[in-house]
Structures are given as C-alpha cells and as structure tokens.
Amino acid sequence: MKEVEVPRMDMINAEGVIAVGHAGHVYLVQLASGETLWTVALATLEGASGCEGQPVTVGIVGEIILAGSMGHVFAIRLKSGELLWHKEQRFRGSGETNFAFVTPTKD
C-alpha cells in the first residue's frame, strides 16, 4: 500500500480525512475531494474471514484507525492502511462491535 500524507486535524475541524467502515471494508477518504486514499478488506486478514460483508464500526485515535466487526478489533495505520494488530473478541452475542473514545478538551 502507498503511504499518503495525512494532515493533522483539530478534533472540531471538518477538513482532512475520514475513515469509513462498510460491508467488511475500511476506507480512508479525502474529505475535500471524496477520493479514496486506501481500502482494507478485513476478511482478507488472517483469522477474520467472518467479517466479509458485515457492518464495520470505525474511529480515529491519533495516527491509528480502530475498526470493529463481528467481534474482531483491528488497529490500522492511518497513513498507509497497514494492519498493526488484530484481536478476536467474539465469544457470544450478535457480533456488533462498538467503541468509546475520550477526546482531549481545550482549557
């Protein structure tokens, strides 16, 4: 995968990039143009075939995109789409995976 230059964003600023999770994939999209910078198909990653076509929850924490699908949690490098780690947390339930984030406040 090619590395892309990702501008730093203020948490309130709507300029830059967005992470999109859809049907077993994670996309990094340039907000201004809508251009897809990279795509990761989660089901192609070792041990994650159950994510094929499933809903994906995503969030950005610093330089990492967290993605969750069917009880699997993935950390993906923002600039390149490189997988940093993958954990299977699926034990029971419907397979929905959610995240909670704390964002710093300005004093």
Side-chain angles (χ1 to χ4, degrees):
M1 295 185 196
K2 70 175 186 174
E3 286 227 352
V4 295
E5 186 63 35
V6 178
R8 289 229 176 252
M9 298 188 290
D10 186 333
M11 294 302 288
I12 304 303
N13 190 342
E15 296 176 332
V17 294
I18 57 172
V20 177
H22 177 70
H25 292 72
V26 177
Y27 305 89
L28 187 70
V29 177
Q30 185 73 39
L31 191 57
S33 68
E35 175 189 0
T36 300
L37 301 173
W38 54 252
T39 302
V40 175
L42 299 177
T44 64
L45 303 174
E46 184 176 344
S49 62
C51 298
E52 176 66 36
Q54 299 301 315
V56 180
T57 301
V58 295
I60 299 175
V61 180
E63 299 293 320
I64 297 172
I65 294 176
L66 292 176
S69 180
M70 298 301 293
H72 295 264
V73 180
F74 306 85
I76 301 168
R77 189 177 309 279
L78 182 68
K79 288 186 176 186
S80 65
E82 170 193 5
L83 178 69
L84 299 172
W85 53 260
H86 163 229
K87 299 286 183 188
E88 183 175 356
Q89 302 297 317
R90 187 180 63 190
F91 298 107
R92 50 189 290 193
S94 65
E96 294 177 18
T97 307
N98 298 298
F99 299 112
F101 296 96
V102 176
T103 57
T105 58
K106 293 183 179 181
D107 293 329

